[in-house]
Amino acid sequence: MSSVEAVLIVLSVGALCFALASIVRERRVRRGFEATRRAERSVLDMGGDGLVVMDAAGTLLEANEAARSMLWPEAEPKAGDPLPEPLGTLLDDPAAQRHRIRIGSNRRVHLALSQKEDAPQSRRALLLRDVTRQQRHRKHLLRLAHVDSLTGLGNRRRFIDHLEMAIERSCDDGSRIALFYIDIDRFKEVNDTLGHAAGDQLLKSVARRVEDVMERWQAEAETNSSLVTRLSGDEFAIVALGDLGATEIEGLATSILEHIAEPIKFDERSINPSGSAGVSTFPDHASDVEDLVKAADSALYAAKEQGRGRFVLFDESLTAQAEQTRKIERLLQGAIERGELQLHYQPKVELEGDTTAGFEALLRWYSHDLGFVSPKDFIPIAEERGLICEIGRWCIEEACRQIRVWRDAGFETVPVSVNVSSVQFAESDLQREVTDALVRYEVEPEMFEIELTESLILDDNDTTALTLRDLRAIGVRIALDDFGTGYSALTYLNRFPLDVVKMDRGFLRGIENDQAVEGVASAVVSMSHSLGFEVVAEGVDADQQSKILAKMGCDQIQGFLYSPAVPAAEAARFLATVGSPRPKMATSSSTPELDQALAGGDAGGLDRTHDALPAVHGGDSVQRLGRPPETRVLVIDGPEASLGMVSVRMMRLGADVHLVQDVDEACLFVTQEEPIVDLVVVTPTVDLTRVAQIRETLDKRMPDDPSRVLVIGDEPDAEGREALRKARVDWLITGHAEDSELRFFLGAARYRGGAGYMQRSVRVPIESTAWIRAGGVRRVGTLANLSRRGAFVETEDEYEIGQSIRLEFKWGAHRIQIFGSVTYCTDADEDALETEDESGKGIGVLFLEPTRETEDELGEIVEQIWNRLRP
């Protein structure tokens, strides 16, 4: 072998080895690249978004698993395959793009397409995101936000949205909208008696029935623009858009209520529902959603007040009434916490002996915002809105507490009766509430009496009878109130465990002159006695009525003849101290003005609004406390006519009152009659500048006896107080004026000592039980007014001028014990001394050497009361 051949062989072997090495290297690189590609594809397939890579011509180069499942769900795509429509069309646009598209019938996709570059080897990327599940979830949430879960109807949000759109459409095409507000009557009773399952069944049934009515109406009216919604609880709303006149609205409302009233079966029991509806229309009653809803709500309130089971079409007169009702409901909810509720006590008098036999506790509400609110105005609202049970429970507690207070003060207690609402009886555990209150205040059961309405007895309910028997078994007395006002079923009286029958005042109308009326009343008394019941006659206002009732054997009477309902401090005057004989009662003396006021209507109705001063005992004789000798009063009322009852109460306190309706009439009276006036009483709503002129006219006539001005009304603002001061107003009472305050002002108006006395020693009216210890004997009186230096105490006991006593009383958080000296004594049968504090028979006390702490406490009490009285 030549050297050349050898060299060629070596080179051939080397080339072969190099080739083999290159092949190995290439395979290794290819395997690495493929591994990398597999890893990259695995990563891309793991993502939730789809990714597609295309060349410049739009030919498929690569697609991950998510993209393949979205775009080619049935076949594996290959390189070079075209993109499915509508993606192929999108590729014609070289710009970057974002779209929401539908793929197939159910899939919703968001896509982003990158921009096309000019280079031939450029690539375009397509990113796909499946949002089908998200949209379904969003629709579900949207449904939850707009649909009531129980009934499947639209909810309040859906209602508002639809009503806004309906109003826009109405403004465009001139169609009318009728808005129906529907409320299920006494729905709470269904929940409480049958359970929430029954309540839910009732709501679903009502929803279906209302929907059926509206579907038929839409078919007949050839419209599809109505919506039925459940707003909350048992409240439904219907929006109907179309050609709706009064006749169509009446027919539709009637049909809805009739279908609601059809019986519903629940667990083999039948529920007999009813509904009330209020209707307002657009654009007749409102110009926007808020006013249209308010109008329908006002009409619904009116429908319920008219007896339920009916509908009312809104008119303007309902607005103020509905707003007042809503305001009463809102303020009543916190009345107990704010201390605005009070119990006043009307005495029941035994006809044999003319002594106090007991009290009826009557609820009073003095609202900080509304002033005095009559029970006939707020009790129905409390019953309708579920507040009466809490209020009734408070009344029971308060009556028991007051019994304990009287007993601790040394009085011989008498039974106190409390009215129980039929709603409270049905919805609360009355026996437990009464028992808990009796135990808490350690009150004997025979000192407590509940009064039930005749309608509750006539229900003939086994639960009612059982509850009454349980209460009577522990010693609580049971009275049937207002007997004769309902459908009197005499046979029912023997079915229930009663102690007392209270004969309604209707039996007494005309009893003085009509023998037939007297015969009916006598029959009621005889029948009740034969069944073992005591008889109490209500609403006795005349002495002749009392004599006729005594002749026929009536046990007790209650009415204005003796006293209306009075605060607890006033009621204590009817009680005897322990160990003393029971006080005799005297009839209230009347004036022609008072007789005329009572003759104008039911005197018992007067009791439902304000209080007057009771008679008071005094051993064998009886006097009226707080009767100043003919204080002459000019009362100038305002347009709200709020001082009528104040005038009557001042008459009862013995004042000579002249009531005028406005300032013009007052000017005419002052100039033409030329009267002598001690006190001018006005409301802050009258023209105070003209009142000041009237006062100047009076003072010129009697320069030595200047008149005083008292304003009674709502709390004035800063500007109002400045107006009072400019008019030289002497005193101001905000809110309800107590009799103790009126007595004070009547006496102070007669006092001629001048303003200097008031500046040296401010004396303020106060009403508090006082204990007088003298000669080792402790007696009870009433603190009538107070200053830092002394006090006036009403008492029937005899004291000598100069006698030393120790006086004790409580006021708020203060408990005062102080020594004093009797400076004068008054007798209600004689002319009172010319001081401003005489209210009746009692003693003036000068405080002796009080401690600094006691002086400070007296100052705080006087300042607190005086700040309320001065402008």
Side-chain angles (χ1 to χ4, degrees), residues 612-631:
L613 183 69
V616 66
H617 63 85
D620 295 332
S621 62
V622 181
Q623 297 88 25
R624 292 285 300 176
L625 289 187
R627 179 169 300 161
E630 291 299 315
T631 303

Side-chain angles (χ1 to χ4, degrees), residues 167-446:
I167 289 179
E168 291 179 2
R169 178 177 169 183
S170 175
C171 293
D172 292 337
D173 60 20
S175 57
R176 298 181 69 207
I177 300 173
L179 173 59
F180 296 76
Y181 252 39
I182 301 171
D183 188 89
I184 301 176
D185 299 329
R186 303 194 183 282
F187 175 73
K188 188 174 184 298
E189 293 183 12
V190 176
N191 270 341
D192 293 341
T193 56
L194 300 180
H196 289 279
D200 291 347
Q201 179 63 39
L202 174 58
L203 291 173
K204 289 189 285 188
S205 297
V206 169
R208 288 195 301 270
R209 293 174 178 183
V210 175
E211 277 191 310
D212 290 343
V213 173
M214 295 309 299
E215 286 176 0
R216 286 196 296 271
W217 175 78
Q218 286 187 142
E220 294 173 359
E222 298 181 352
T223 180
N224 61 349
S225 56
S226 71
L227 176 70
V228 182
T229 57
R230 178 189 175 211
L231 301 183
S232 64
D234 61 336
E235 293 183 350
F236 296 82
I238 302 172
V239 179
L241 184 66
D243 185 14
L244 290 161
T247 303
E248 289 77 11
I249 290 174
E250 180 179 357
L252 187 54
T254 302
S255 180
I256 291 171
L257 296 183
E258 286 177 350
H259 280 74
I260 290 176
E262 293 175 1
I264 298 172
K265 295 294 184 180
F266 179 78
D267 285 349
E268 299 182 356
R269 299 189 64 173
S270 179
I271 303 174
N272 296 301
S274 69
S276 300
V279 187
S280 62
T281 60
F282 178 91
D284 306 288
H285 301 144
S287 58
D288 55 30
V289 169
E290 183 178 358
D291 290 343
L292 190 62
V293 169
K294 285 183 178 179
D297 194 33
S298 300
L300 176 60
Y301 266 102
K304 284 188 168 294
E305 290 179 355
Q306 292 178 16
R308 303 182 179 88
R310 63 189 64 199
F311 82 94
V312 169
L313 183 62
F314 175 81
D315 65 61
E316 294 298 333
S317 63
L318 298 176
T319 302
Q321 177 184 350
E323 289 180 355
Q324 180 70 3
T325 300
R326 284 192 290 267
K327 190 172 184 180
I328 288 176
E329 178 186 347
R330 175 175 57 82
L331 295 174
L332 188 58
Q333 291 176 348
I336 294 177
E337 291 74 11
R338 294 190 298 271
E340 295 177 348
L341 297 184
Q342 300 178 18
L343 286 184
H344 286 196
Y345 300 85
Q346 186 173 34
K348 292 182 272 190
V349 180
E350 288 183 352
L351 281 171
E352 185 176 351
D354 288 337
T355 56
T356 305
F359 292 107
E360 179 181 1
L362 296 170
L363 183 62
R364 298 290 183 262
W365 179 24
Y366 299 101
S367 168
H368 299 322
D369 297 283
L370 302 175
F372 176 81
V373 185
S374 173
K376 66 181 177 60
D377 292 331
F378 73 83
I379 291 295
I381 297 175
E383 291 180 334
E384 176 65 32
R385 296 302 171 185
L387 304 174
I388 194 63
C389 292
E390 180 185 3
I391 293 174
R393 184 164 51 250
W394 177 87
C395 291
I396 292 171
E397 289 269 340
E398 178 62 16
C400 291
R401 186 197 67 81
Q402 187 57 55
I403 294 173
R404 178 61 184 267
V405 168
W406 281 330
R407 187 174 67 189
D408 291 347
F411 292 109
E412 190 76 45
T413 55
V414 293
V416 174
S417 62
V418 174
N419 292 277
V420 176
S421 164
S422 58
V423 176
Q424 179 188 2
F425 198 96
E427 298 182 4
S428 65
D429 189 348
L430 184 63
Q431 180 186 0
R432 179 182 58 80
E433 292 174 357
V434 171
T435 303
D436 289 350
L438 294 175
V439 171
R440 182 175 297 108
Y441 296 103
E442 299 180 355
V443 173
E444 299 82 359
E446 58 269 19

Side-chain angles (χ1 to χ4, degrees), residues 3 14 131 171 187 217 225 280 347 358 450 491 553 597 612 667 680 724 814 847 859 862 869:
S3 57
V131 294
C171 293
F187 175 73
W217 175 78
S225 56
S280 62
I450 64 171
T491 56
C667 292
V680 180
L724 294 176
H814 301 286
F847 297 149
V862 170
L869 302 178

Side-chain angles (χ1 to χ4, degrees), residues 807-852:
L807 184 67
E808 301 176 19
F809 66 92
K810 290 190 297 183
W811 180 261
H814 301 286
R815 185 180 184 92
I816 304 296
Q817 297 182 359
I818 191 170
F819 288 96
S821 175
V822 178
T823 56
Y824 58 86
C825 303
T826 65
D827 191 333
D829 292 333
E830 300 174 359
D831 290 338
L833 299 176
E834 282 200 357
T835 57
E836 85 283 3
D837 55 3
E838 274 64 60
S839 298
K841 186 174 182 181
I843 57 174
V845 180
L846 177 66
F847 297 149
L848 301 176
E849 300 181 356
T851 65
R852 175 59 61 88

Side-chain angles (χ1 to χ4, degrees), residues 127-176:
L127 184 65
L128 303 167
R129 176 166 295 172
D130 190 344
V131 294
T132 305
R133 181 175 298 178
Q134 295 178 12
Q135 289 200 352
R136 288 175 181 171
H137 183 61
R138 184 170 176 269
K139 286 184 177 180
H140 178 66
L141 294 178
L142 193 62
R143 175 178 172 80
L144 292 179
H146 289 84
V147 176
D148 174 57
S149 59
L150 177 65
T151 63
L153 300 177
N155 61 10
R156 180 177 291 276
R157 182 174 177 180
R158 170 82 169 128
F159 161 71
I160 295 297
D161 291 345
H162 184 84
L163 186 56
E164 288 176 345
M165 290 188 293
I167 289 179
E168 291 179 2
R169 178 177 169 183
S170 175
C171 293
D172 292 337
D173 60 20
S175 57
R176 298 181 69 207

Side-chain angles (χ1 to χ4, degrees), residues 405-645:
V405 168
W406 281 330
R407 187 174 67 189
D408 291 347
F411 292 109
E412 190 76 45
T413 55
V414 293
V416 174
S417 62
V418 174
N419 292 277
V420 176
S421 164
S422 58
V423 176
Q424 179 188 2
F425 198 96
E427 298 182 4
S428 65
D429 189 348
L430 184 63
Q431 180 186 0
R432 179 182 58 80
E433 292 174 357
V434 171
T435 303
D436 289 350
L438 294 175
V439 171
R440 182 175 297 108
Y441 296 103
E442 299 180 355
V443 173
E444 299 82 359
E446 58 269 19
M447 290 293 103
F448 189 82
E449 181 178 286
I450 64 171
E451 295 191 10
L452 308 173
T453 60
E454 190 174 24
S455 60
L456 179 60
I457 295 293
L458 292 178
D459 285 341
D460 195 16
N461 188 295
D462 291 337
T463 304
T464 300
L466 182 61
T467 302
L468 294 180
R469 288 191 178 94
D470 290 342
L471 285 169
R472 198 162 184 260
I474 64 175
V476 173
R477 290 164 55 88
I478 311 295
L480 176 59
D481 193 19
D482 297 331
F483 177 75
T485 57
Y487 298 98
S488 305
L490 304 182
T491 56
Y492 282 32
L493 296 181
N494 200 34
R495 169 174 163 73
F496 293 93
L498 303 176
D499 296 285
V500 179
V501 169
K502 300 190 73 175
M503 188 165 58
D504 184 70
R505 56 176 52 88
F507 285 105
L508 305 183
R509 292 196 181 104
I511 196 172
E512 302 96 322
N513 306 311
D514 193 329
Q515 290 185 348
V517 174
E518 181 178 347
V520 172
S522 180
V524 172
V525 173
S526 299
M527 178 217 40
S528 300
H529 284 166
S530 67
L531 294 174
F533 306 144
E534 295 180 6
V535 180
V536 179
E538 298 180 286
V540 180
D541 303 315
D543 188 57
Q544 184 64 21
Q545 293 176 346
S546 174
K547 292 177 180 178
I548 293 173
L549 290 167
K551 182 180 178 181
M552 66 178 61
C554 183
D555 301 290
Q556 302 169 13
I557 62 174
Q558 178 182 343
F560 269 72
L561 178 64
Y562 288 95
S563 173
V566 295
E570 296 275 7
R573 304 171 189 272
F574 297 101
L575 299 173
T577 54
V578 174
S580 302
R582 298 177 69 185
K584 289 184 177 294
M585 300 281 288
T587 58
S588 304
S589 62
S590 62
T591 64
E593 294 87 349
L594 179 60
D595 293 338
Q596 182 179 2
L598 296 179
D602 190 347
L606 193 62
D607 171 52
R608 300 294 178 181
T609 54
H610 285 281
D611 311 312
L613 183 69
V616 66
H617 63 85
D620 295 332
S621 62
V622 181
Q623 297 88 25
R624 292 285 300 176
L625 289 187
R627 179 169 300 161
E630 291 299 315
T631 303
R632 294 151 298 193
V633 183
L634 171 61
V635 179
I636 307 175
D637 212 341
E640 67 278 6
S642 60
L643 296 182
M645 282 309 305

